[in-house]
Amino acid sequence: MTTEPENTEPENTEPENTEPEDADTADDDTLEHDRGLPLHRSQEHPEDIPAFLDRALARARDLLPEVEDFTVDGVAFETAAGVWLAPIGVFDPTADVSPSPEQVAAGETDVAVWGHRMSDWANRAQHAMRASWGAPVVHTPRRVGAAQEPEGILDYLLLAQDFAQAEVWDRHEVFVALLSEWTGEPGTSTLRQIAMLLPRPLMMTGMAAYLTDETVQELLMHGESPVELHRRAWVLSTLFDRGEVHVRDVAIEATRCTLRSRTGTTSTWIFADDGRQLLLVHDPASEFLTLLRRLDDEHVDGDDGLPASDVPNDDPNGDPEGDPDAWTASQLIRLERLLDGVPEDLRACVDARGETVTGDVAEHALAFGLLDGRPIPIASGAFWFDGSVWRASPGLVQAGFQNDLTLDDFGLEDAVRIPFRLGGVFTPATFTSEDEPEPVVLEVFDACPYPEQPRPEGDTVLGYGVPRPYDHEAVVEAIERACAAWWERDPEQGTLGEDPFVVVGRRLRDAGGPDTLQTVLARGEYWTVEALSAWNADLRRAMTARWGEPTETVYDPDQLGLDHHTPLTAVMRGIGLTKGWLWWVDGHAVVTLAGFPRTEHRSTPVVTLVICRADAVVELLGRMTIWELRWRARVIENLAALAHGDPAVPPHLALDRVATEVAWPASAPATPLEGSRIQPTVRRIRIRAEDIVWTLHLTHDRRAVLTSRRPGASPTEAADLLEGLPSDLRPLVVASDGEASDGEASSIAGAPLSAVFYRDGGHWRATDNMLAEARAAGREGRDPLEALYSAEAGVPQLRRVLGRGQQMSPRTLSEAGYAERTFGVEVTPDQALAALEHVSAPLTQALTGTLHDLLDAIVQFDSPHRYLLDAALDTLDPQDRREKSLWLLANGATPTTQLAARTPVNVLLGNPTLDGGDAVVLRRLIATGADTGPGLLGSRGTDPFAQLTRRNLAEDELRPLLEALGRRAGTPHRRGTGRGLAGLRRLGERWRARRTG
């Protein structure tokens, strides 16, 4: 073995050749052999990489257990997250190249040439490591659990550095991982090749190495003293189980108390004479055991940090819910890890022989499985008291961290907190709702050798039901960070750093839509509700001190206000808490709701935090549906045309020219009608609302865009109010900018947008920059809602013109004040009646109108859509027929019901303008349950095949229709078989013969 250069060079050697390993060789990290080139190589020759890393491993072993920076051969090994990282090979094709004269003379100036050389160098380095150390384990980054956290530290760093995989070698005390990746084409893109040295404990225990402090669970027992816990365990075990038993054949003096419910939920307590305690809980329905049972079936690798290669899987077909022997070895390993850290003398008491006070042998309450001859208790959780604090094992903490499990998910709630009434009083009265407890209960309490202890004080009785160790000010600051972060990123995006959407350990999650986030901040029990109320009052005071006085928000389903049909009230309704307090924080509404939610599986009080966008607090148009909006807007548009039109033109002729349909731009194709490729147009409506002109774009799939402009206003440098509008809706507004259907509307050309709202998913939303303006208003001390729905935007005017919550009739439409605000002129009741009648009679529109004519009037139709279907199928215009029929079939018009002598299929096939394009409607009819036979009339009805074959249709028109019917009959037409029209006709005849039998 060659010695290190720094130990063999003479004293007068140049500094760059005599530097010790822990010093840098130059001001930058470029080694001499790469100076002036667009690359970095830790060794000039790739075959030297294994020896170079062996030297680095020797330095790392000398430093352990400390992890500090060091340098080998001029290459710095820097620390991050408890590991060492060093560049092995780097190539940057964009780097400035300043070759030396020698490199120029050798022709080493072409970046492309060096890129290909570097590709070869990197491959040879990998081969050299394989030749020296053997084949590596290829590790791809894994996420585990509901929170999709990195499984281990290597996964964490791979995801953080955006590498697809790592090659890993086990070098005893230290693992070596080689990360190699080109950003694009090898040789022409950027190369990153990094060596990672991972200490063995960190590699093998995964993220648990960072969770050691979390094993201490001071408030696990809600402040109950060890003696009080012993008292409660003794009482419950005596009343409902076998009582306290003495543990024999162990090194310490100890007793054991158990409590087992009818569901199998069990708690087993070990009480040592020196004051230590061990608690094992088993809840068969716990989330932890549910995940464990799925381990083999789903091949979940190392959900608790155990690498898959280390987990035997000898019985993938075992049934853990039956015989304990059915637990697989891999599952027993994970169960055994729940006991990591438990002192051996306490652990020995778990399976030791128990003896009752009468000298009889007490059977165990827990089942056991055998792992290499060792008995492993089948338990969902393990905790122990070391004489000063309660602890959980690192294995349990890591499993909880990686799978987003709480302590209750290991069975603590049902096995301990509820039956032992942690945090509450525990007296004979606890066991009865009557005035006097049962005598046996009194006798057991009197006989208990352990005295009742003083009660815990303050919010200690809530345990970890409230955020620990955070005070109320920390909660307020965390909420502010979440509100600020929501402007910059999606809460559902993963993060490897501090997640701003985790508020003091509580993860904010989508509350049913992109406008609201929620989490349970605090939780109690009905016996600790007073402590929870006090904690919530202190939180409210801290919020008020920071953000000012809150607004009370109440959800009343009988109210019709703008704030009673919003995403916020939907959350309140879903939770079952109808009263809360609202503050404005950085443009978002922060709401706290406290009480007993009906969504809980049992009655437990909670404090829920909801954060929502400004447009989720108050609905733009209240409970007005999209269909009511269409109808009202069309009536107003019609009436405006009559009020400003030529009185000599009959109203029905004037109104036929008003309706406008806009084609979808090619850059943003529409959502096709279900079961087809047909893309309907968009209805565009323009109405005047006092000093504002509103343009409505309304689609067939319940989406819409509302834009307002003030006619004659000068263009400004205002923010782009279309920012944030869905990409397929934005072109509709841009394409129709400046277009006009009448003289008044043409005055909006060039006027800046005052407001943009869109409906996507059942709720009106404001665009990003409109919300940003509301945020700015809040920062200035103004009401964000007033800024969002301001008169400058035209929202109050729109609400008044649409007559929200009021009946629309000839009298209200022709009322002088309303007419002046809306039309600028007087209108007569006759004109108002004509405008109303033109947008009515849905059955008529289903027969003679377009799809949008039908949708404009459909709010007037109180009966099921099935009653409109036959009229739509009878429409003469082929395009209108297909659009209306397909829309109705997708929106509740089930064709299984026959309303007349003809079935829906008969109605379609009897249409005089039927052609091959109607096959798409026929297929949808059949797919949604339409009868393809003669219907209710039987032999007196009309057979669809006979009906079709009698039609005088060209072969190319008839073929797709017969194919649709043939597919239903079970004999689909197969292309390329030579079957022509005559064959299809014969097919129809044979099928008809079978039907008539």
Side-chain angles (χ1 to χ4, degrees):
M1 177 184 293
T2 58
T3 56
E4 294 288 344
E6 60 270 26
N7 295 327
T8 58
E9 292 288 346
E11 292 182 356
N12 60 352
T13 305
E14 291 298 321
E16 60 268 24
N17 297 327
T18 61
E19 272 189 300
E21 288 181 339
D22 293 325
D24 291 334
T25 59
D27 292 337
D28 58 33
D29 58 359
T30 303
L31 301 181
E32 188 61 35
H33 54 257
D34 294 332
R35 198 169 300 281
L37 299 177
L39 48 86
H40 165 90
R41 296 169 295 175
S42 58
Q43 298 292 304
E44 184 172 4
H45 303 293
E47 290 75 19
D48 295 336
I49 292 296
F52 160 71
L53 289 176
D54 278 331
R55 294 192 291 274
L57 286 168
R59 290 303 310 275
R61 294 187 187 104
D62 291 341
L63 290 171
L64 289 174
E66 300 298 325
V67 179
E68 300 174 353
D69 295 355
F70 63 84
T71 303
V72 172
D73 295 357
V75 178
F77 282 75
E78 299 180 348
T79 59
V83 307
W84 289 279
L85 298 169
I88 295 297
V90 178
F91 174 70
D92 183 3
T94 65
D96 293 331
V97 178
S98 53
S100 65
E102 293 79 8
Q103 291 168 336
V104 173
E108 298 176 346
T109 60
D110 191 340
V111 173
V113 170
W114 273 108
H116 291 292
R117 290 185 183 180
M118 195 62 197
S119 178
D120 178 68
W121 187 95
N123 291 333
R124 288 165 58 194
Q126 288 177 285
H127 289 308
M129 293 177 68
R130 293 189 183 102
S132 296
W133 296 345
V137 174
V138 177
H139 183 96
T140 56
R142 293 192 289 258
R143 294 180 183 268
V144 295
Q148 288 296 282
E149 298 284 355
E151 183 183 45
I153 191 64
L154 179 56
D155 305 286
Y156 180 97
L157 293 169
L158 283 173
L159 291 166
Q161 297 293 325
D162 198 24
F163 279 93
Q165 64 180 36
E167 294 178 302
V168 182
W169 288 267
D170 183 348
R171 305 300 291 164
H172 310 295
E173 295 93 338
V174 181
F175 280 79
V176 176
L178 181 66
L179 289 61
S180 303
E181 190 167 76
W182 292 89
T183 59
E185 185 69 25
T188 59
S189 60
T190 299
L191 167 69
R192 296 181 303 157
Q193 195 171 45
I194 299 173
M196 187 184 299
L197 309 184
L198 302 96
R200 188 176 195 85
L202 185 60
M203 180 69 177
M204 296 303 294
T205 60
M207 301 302 290
Y210 285 110
L211 302 175
T212 53
D213 292 343
E214 300 295 330
T215 62
V216 175
Q217 304 288 334
E218 293 186 27
L219 296 176
L220 182 75
M221 297 299 166
H222 297 244
E224 303 292 355
S225 70
V227 175
E228 178 65 19
L229 293 172
H230 199 165
R231 181 179 81 94
R232 298 186 183 198
W234 190 94
V235 168
L236 289 173
S237 183
T238 301
L239 278 172
F240 304 110
D241 214 288
R242 64 210 67 192
E244 187 172 33
V245 302
H246 290 274
V247 179
R248 302 305 187 193
D249 305 326
V250 291
I252 60 175
E253 291 293 328
T255 60
R256 188 166 63 215
C257 293
T258 60
L259 179 66
R260 181 183 175 90
S261 72
R262 290 189 297 269
T263 64
T265 301
T266 306
S267 60
T268 295
W269 298 77
I270 307 294
F271 298 102
D273 282 0
D274 58 8
R276 293 177 300 157
Q277 298 180 8
L278 172 63
L279 169 64
L280 297 183
V281 299
H282 177 65
D283 181 0
S286 66
E287 185 65 23
F288 171 70
L289 289 185
T290 300
L291 289 173
L292 193 58
R293 291 186 189 104
R294 292 203 302 260
L295 180 66
D296 289 328
D297 293 338
E298 297 182 0
H299 305 289
V300 180
D301 295 333
D303 276 355
D304 57 357
L306 189 66
S309 59
D310 294 344
V311 182
N313 188 8
D314 53 18
D315 184 12
N317 299 313
D319 179 11
E321 298 187 55
D323 186 348
D325 292 336
W327 288 89
T328 66
S330 62
Q331 293 168 331
L332 290 174
I333 287 175
R334 286 161 170 79
L335 291 176
E336 186 179 37
R337 286 198 164 183
L338 296 181
L339 296 171
D340 286 350
V342 177
E344 287 299 326
D345 52 357
L346 275 180
R347 186 170 175 172
C349 296
V350 175
D351 60 304
R353 179 173 63 89
E355 186 178 281
T356 67
V357 292
T358 60
D360 296 329
V361 175
E363 66 178 83
H364 290 282
L366 294 173
F368 291 84
L370 289 178
L371 180 67
D372 297 331
R374 303 189 308 277
I376 307 299
I378 308 303
S380 59
F383 310 90
W384 76 97
F385 181 70
D386 64 7
S388 59
V389 295
W390 278 94
R391 294 182 177 274
S393 71
L396 183 146
V397 172
Q398 185 179 358
F401 171 77
Q402 293 181 331
N403 296 285
D404 198 23
L405 301 178
T406 67
L407 292 175
D408 287 345
D409 292 323
F410 291 91
L412 196 67
E413 176 183 25
D414 291 335
V416 180
R417 186 165 69 250
I418 296 174
F420 289 81
R421 197 65 70 90
L422 297 184
V425 296
F426 189 81
T427 65
T430 304
F431 295 88
T432 180
S433 59
E434 306 295 333
D435 293 336
E436 289 293 331
E438 293 287 337
V440 65
V441 174
L442 294 172
E443 291 174 6
V444 170
F445 269 87
D446 290 341
C448 181
Y450 308 105
E452 183 178 2
Q453 300 299 300
R455 306 298 312 122
E457 297 181 353
D459 62 15
T460 301
V461 299
L462 298 172
Y464 293 110
V466 296
R468 307 287 185 182
Y470 307 99
D471 57 21
H472 294 91
E473 287 69 25
V475 176
V476 170
E477 292 172 0
I479 294 172
E480 289 180 341
R481 286 194 296 272
C483 289
W486 202 6
W487 290 100
E488 306 297 333
R489 49 173 289 193
D490 183 352
E492 297 303 316
Q493 290 178 344
T495 180
L496 293 176
E498 183 179 359
D499 191 340
F501 298 103
V502 175
V503 175
V504 291
R506 273 60 170 167
R507 182 73 167 86
L508 284 165
R509 300 194 184 279
D510 187 325
D515 313 287
T516 53
L517 302 172
Q518 77 176 76
T519 190
V520 174
L521 270 183
R523 185 187 301 274
E525 300 290 348
Y526 70 84
W527 56 85
T528 59
V529 66
E530 291 183 2
L532 183 64
S533 297
W535 183 90
N536 184 44
D538 290 340
L539 176 63
R540 190 161 64 243
R541 281 191 285 271
M543 290 176 160
T544 300
R546 188 70 160 257
W547 304 325
E549 290 295 328
T551 302
E552 187 178 36
T553 178
V554 178
Y555 168 69
D556 183 349
D558 296 327
Q559 295 294 319
L560 299 175
L562 293 169
D563 57 348
H564 280 74
H565 186 63
T566 67
L568 173 58
T569 56
V571 172
M572 297 172 68
R573 182 174 64 250
I575 295 175
L577 299 176
T578 58
K579 179 180 177 180
W581 297 97
L582 183 151
W583 294 263
W584 288 104
V585 181
D586 201 12
H588 294 128
V590 172
V591 182
T592 58
L593 307 169
F596 288 80
R598 65 165 175 254
T599 55
E600 295 293 308
H601 69 282
R602 62 186 183 86
S603 183
T604 57
V606 299
V607 177
T608 298
L609 170 69
V610 180
I611 303 177
C612 54
R613 299 191 185 279
D615 56 7
V617 176
V618 169
E619 186 69 12
L620 177 68
L621 298 175
R623 291 189 175 183
M624 185 181 296
T625 67
I626 191 68
W627 309 124
E628 184 182 358
L629 170 64
R630 290 183 72 121
W631 175 70
R632 288 178 178 265
R634 282 284 288 117
V635 169
I636 294 169
E637 185 181 45
N638 282 348
L639 190 50
L642 293 177
H644 294 281
D646 184 352
V649 179
H652 69 279
L653 294 179
L655 295 181
D656 284 343
R657 305 168 187 168
V658 174
T660 304
E661 296 186 13
V662 180
W664 285 87
S667 59
T671 303
L673 290 164
E674 185 176 349
S676 75
R677 297 180 181 179
I678 297 175
Q679 298 175 345
T681 57
V682 176
R683 170 69 86 202
R684 186 179 67 195
I685 303 173
R686 281 201 176 104
I687 59 175
R688 177 187 170 193
E690 302 176 17
D691 58 337
I692 295 288
V693 172
W694 283 89
T695 302
L696 294 70
H697 289 87
L698 304 151
T699 72
H700 68 278
D701 54 358
R702 295 177 173 81
R703 296 188 299 159
V705 182
L706 297 181
T707 57
S708 69
R709 299 175 190 266
R710 181 169 281 103
S714 301
T716 66
E717 296 298 323
D720 178 12
L721 294 185
L722 296 179
E723 187 69 32
L725 192 63
S727 58
D728 60 339
L729 294 178
R730 178 169 181 151
L732 291 174
V733 181
V734 174
S736 63
D737 256 3
E739 294 182 12
S741 58
D742 55 59
E744 180 185 36
S746 65
S747 65
I748 73 169
L753 286 169
S754 301
V756 179
F757 297 93
Y758 66 97
R759 187 182 180 92
D760 193 14
H763 159 59
W764 286 105
R765 298 187 173 95
T767 55
D768 292 350
N769 282 323
M770 290 197 65
L771 291 172
E773 291 179 3
R775 179 192 193 188
R779 288 178 169 179
E780 295 170 0
R782 296 183 287 124
D783 187 338
L785 291 178
E786 290 184 1
L788 186 63
Y789 301 123
S790 66
E792 289 74 17
V795 174
Q797 300 93 310
L798 177 66
R799 291 169 176 168
R800 287 194 291 267
V801 166
L802 289 174
R804 185 189 61 81
Q806 301 175 359
Q807 183 181 8
M808 188 170 275
S809 66
R811 183 184 62 81
T812 57
L813 289 171
S814 59
E815 190 269 326
Y818 178 85
E820 177 60 31
R821 289 194 307 269
T822 307
F823 311 112
V825 297
E826 292 184 1
V827 297
T828 67
D830 289 341
Q831 288 175 320
L833 180 60
L836 283 165
E837 289 179 342
H838 195 265
V839 192
S840 60
L843 193 58
T844 301
Q845 302 294 356
L847 180 64
T848 61
T850 67
L851 172 62
H852 284 294
D853 291 337
L854 172 60
L855 298 183
D856 292 342
I858 204 165
V859 72
Q860 302 292 310
F861 197 72
D862 296 330
S863 301
H865 290 171
R866 170 66 186 90
Y867 293 95
L868 299 172
L869 180 60
D870 287 5
L873 295 169
D874 240 350
T875 300
L876 293 179
D877 183 274
Q879 184 69 15
D880 292 340
R881 174 172 66 246
R882 292 160 196 159
E883 289 185 357
K884 290 185 294 184
S885 300
L886 290 170
W887 188 91
L888 288 168
L889 287 169
N891 288 273
T894 305
T896 53
T897 303
Q898 184 176 338
L899 302 179
R902 297 186 302 168
T903 68
V905 172
N906 292 148
V907 175
L908 174 65
L909 299 185
N911 194 299
T913 60
L914 179 77
D915 60 32
D918 289 298
V920 64
V921 178
L922 181 57
R923 284 194 295 269
R924 287 301 299 161
L925 282 169
I926 294 172
T928 51
D931 191 345
T932 56
L936 298 177
L937 298 182
S939 60
R940 292 179 297 164
T942 303
D943 183 275
F945 269 109
Q947 188 179 10
L948 259 186
T949 53
R950 288 196 299 267
R951 294 294 301 266
N952 188 23
L953 295 176
E955 179 174 351
D956 58 343
E957 301 287 352
L958 185 58
R959 182 187 303 275
L961 297 167
L962 283 171
E963 285 180 340
L965 284 176
R967 186 172 295 113
R968 175 68 177 199
T971 52
H973 171 63
R974 295 185 296 275
R975 296 186 182 275
T977 62
R979 179 181 292 167
L981 180 59
L984 287 170
R985 290 185 189 277
R986 288 194 298 272
L987 169 66
E989 292 298 328
R990 289 199 300 271
W991 184 84
R992 184 163 57 90
R994 289 201 303 271
R995 288 296 297 259
T996 57

